[in-house]
Amino acid sequence: MTTPVYENFINGHFLKNQTGDTFAVKNPATDEVIYHVEIADEFIQNAAIESAKQGFAAWSAMTPIERSRILLKAVAILRERNDELAKVEVLDTGKPWQEAECVDVETGADVIEYFAGLAPAQVGQQQMVGNDFYYTRKEPLGICAGIGAWNYPLQIACWKSGPALAAGNAVIFKPSEETPLGAIKLAEIFIEAGVPAGVFNVVQGAAEVGQWLTANPNIEKVSFTGEVGTGKKVMASAAGSLKDVTMELGGKSPLLVFDDADVSQAVSAAMLGNFYTQGEICTNCTRIYVHKNVYQQFIDELKTRTEQNIIAGDPMDPEVNLGALISKKHQELVLGYIDKGVQEGATLLTGGKALSPASAPNGYFVEPTVFVDCKDDMTIVKEEIFGPVMSVLVFDDEDDVIQRANDTHLGLAAGVFTKDIQRAHRVIHQLQAGICWINSYGNSPAEMPVGGYKQSGIGRENGIETLDHYTQTKSIYVGMSNIESPF
Ligand code: NDP
């Protein structure tokens, strides 16, 4: 059986490249090639820029309320097609259907809906200066590039296009080459909803295509989601034409469990924050600091629930709650970190091996893995693993655990479990992270700004302030009296 070949999506339709070069996309749960995608060659790249220029001219000329109405139509189509789109995400990423069916499309649609609602509410200022006055306009930036990671492909495309399009920009989006289909589906939906051709374009390929986007002088902004190291390259390249950047990067986030916490709730949070999407979530709380008084209770319950309640297998099976990692290479990387943890003296409480479930024997699965007896300087405690691997550490002093939690160059997220309301806020205010939870972990509604401290990122996604990251302020001074000139 021949597999489909997807072309790049430019100016409202699929466009064939000239080189004929393609890449293959595999289903991580089966190791089978499911389709091919054409790489954006020079012809496609030039066409994408021309298309986005035309798209920008048409889209930015519309009133915000017209744009809003069209985007809300796209939101309705996304929701109508939830199951079809969720299936695309499951086959591309290996994540469980039970997640994609209620999270991936839904949270993407929410963000477009949120910014569609905000678009008409964006206003400038006016102020008198003597008899003269000035006013400001919020103008779109122009062509914005979005570069996405592979863990939430459609959601990332929605989170980047929502505010960009609401503010009147055009977008050229490059999904990860591991998961290219979700963005194409979104492009088709935008066209169906009435977004003019050229406003949202999808170019396909690996790092070279990303590099072209970051270096291209016609592009005003790059919004990037990916690893810290790639983020640094993207920012350096974007600096060549002084582009605005938003960076959503990796993390190694701490969760602090105090001895007055509801331990079962804290275990739930720890499991969600390490095993949901098989651990491939940037905000995961991969360093769990547990107070010594509840440590034994915490790890006993964690071990039992991890061994009894996690079902790995064919991700399309609605019972399955642990899917396959994105690629063989990534599976090997995660297993390499587990070996390193053992070598450096951590103890495996549970898991630690590759998995070959009967319903998906060729998938890239890794057992849900918990390390105890961890030390702050171990590799598994310091580096982002991006798989189902949790490190548990012990503490007994509040100030000390805050200092340990902050002792990292990353600062994406953090969490605290305690029933003491004063301690909860006191501690969370001292944690150096951009996304924080108290007695909760992982929720990220459209209304809440998200982004990292330190090397975990620059700028924010979601929330009102993000619209400012996709507009520029024009100040206009109006003279109301004759000019006094010495010349
Ligand atoms: P990568 O950094 O490897 O890739 C991200 C994207 O950048 C991909 O589309 C990739 O293309 C592209 N790319 C690679 N090199 C370059 C380059 N030199 N210039 C421009 N673009 C380039 O990240 P992953 O895809 O592996 O995603 C996992 C990472 O993403 C983790 O670190 C995770 O923490 C982070 N992440 C952060 C989130 C946040 O909101 N803070 C959310 C989700 C993930 P290709 O893959 O095709 O090679």
Side-chain angles (χ1 to χ4, degrees), residues 23 147-152 155-156 159-160 174-178 205-214 224-231 233-234 237 247-251 280-283 326 330 384 386 412 435 450-452 456-457 461:
F23 61 91
I147 301 178
W150 41 256
N151 58 342
Y152 279 79
Q155 187 212 61
I156 291 173
W159 283 24
K160 295 196 185 305
K174 190 199 90 65
S176 165
E177 62 173 341
E178 314 273 9
E208 307 76 56
V209 177
Q211 279 161 10
W212 160 72
L213 279 171
T214 60
F224 173 80
T225 298
E227 291 173 9
V228 175
T230 319
K233 287 185 204 159
V234 165
S237 170
M247 294 276 148
E248 295 290 343
L249 310 177
E280 295 166 332
I281 296 187
C282 51
T283 49
I326 190 68
H330 191 56
E384 184 183 48
F386 225 55
L412 189 59
I435 314 167
V450 287
S456 287
E461 289 192 319

Side-chain angles (χ1 to χ4, degrees), residues 247-424:
M247 294 276 148
E248 295 290 343
L249 310 177
K252 191 72 194 178
S253 302
L255 175 68
L256 279 47
V257 181
F258 284 88
D259 57 355
D260 62 349
D262 179 327
V263 171
S264 290
Q265 287 284 302
V267 169
S268 296
M271 289 179 71
L272 272 170
N274 279 274
F275 304 143
Y276 205 72
T277 317
Q278 53 287 334
E280 295 166 332
I281 296 187
C282 51
T283 49
N284 271 358
C285 47
T286 45
R287 294 183 291 144
I288 311 273
Y289 292 90
V290 184
H291 193 279
K292 68 176 184 357
N293 295 347
V294 289
Y295 177 75
Q296 198 57 47
Q297 186 191 349
F298 182 91
I299 61 168
D300 287 349
E301 183 172 337
L302 177 62
K303 181 173 162 63
T304 306
R305 287 173 58 182
T306 302
E307 289 175 355
Q308 289 179 0
N309 299 347
I310 291 187
I311 305 166
D314 174 4
M316 282 305 294
D317 176 348
E319 296 297 312
V320 163
N321 58 18
L322 188 89
L325 295 182
I326 190 68
S327 63
K328 181 91 193 141
K329 189 171 153 215
H330 191 56
Q331 182 196 34
E332 284 164 3
L333 186 94
V334 171
L335 292 170
Y337 271 112
I338 293 172
D339 285 347
K340 193 124 199 168
V342 173
Q343 280 164 28
E344 291 182 6
T347 306
L348 275 170
L349 179 72
T350 185
K353 297 190 296 293
L355 258 176
S356 183
S359 59
N362 300 322
Y364 319 128
F365 293 84
V366 170
E367 286 178 332
T369 299
V370 179
F371 276 109
V372 292
D373 301 326
C374 298
K375 302 274 178 302
D376 291 340
D377 61 354
M378 288 176 173
T379 307
I380 52 166
V381 179
K382 288 165 77 172
E383 295 183 13
E384 184 183 48
I385 300 173
F386 225 55
V389 184
M390 182 193 311
S391 297
V392 185
L393 303 104
V394 196
F395 78 92
D396 67 359
D397 176 75
E398 181 181 308
D399 289 339
D400 183 52
V401 75
I402 291 169
Q403 186 270 322
R404 289 168 67 193
N406 286 336
D407 187 18
T408 164
H409 65 290
L410 300 170
L412 189 59
V416 174
F417 268 77
T418 174
K419 288 189 183 137
D420 178 339
I421 189 169
Q422 290 174 333
R423 171 155 59 199

Side-chain angles (χ1 to χ4, degrees), residues 2-10 14-27 33-41 44 88 92 173-185 201-206 208-209:
T2 54
T3 58
V5 181
Y6 290 96
E7 296 167 355
N8 292 268
F9 196 93
I10 309 291
F14 287 100
L15 185 63
K16 206 163 179 38
N17 70 7
Q18 288 184 339
T19 57
D21 292 341
T22 61
F23 61 91
V25 178
K26 281 185 173 184
N27 177 345
V33 172
I34 45 178
Y35 57 91
H36 287 80
V37 178
E38 288 196 355
I39 295 171
D41 56 11
I44 293 290
V88 166
D92 268 12
F173 188 82
K174 190 199 90 65
S176 165
E177 62 173 341
E178 314 273 9
T179 55
L181 194 48
I184 298 176
K185 295 281 171 193
N201 308 276
V202 181
V203 292
Q204 304 281 8
E208 307 76 56
V209 177

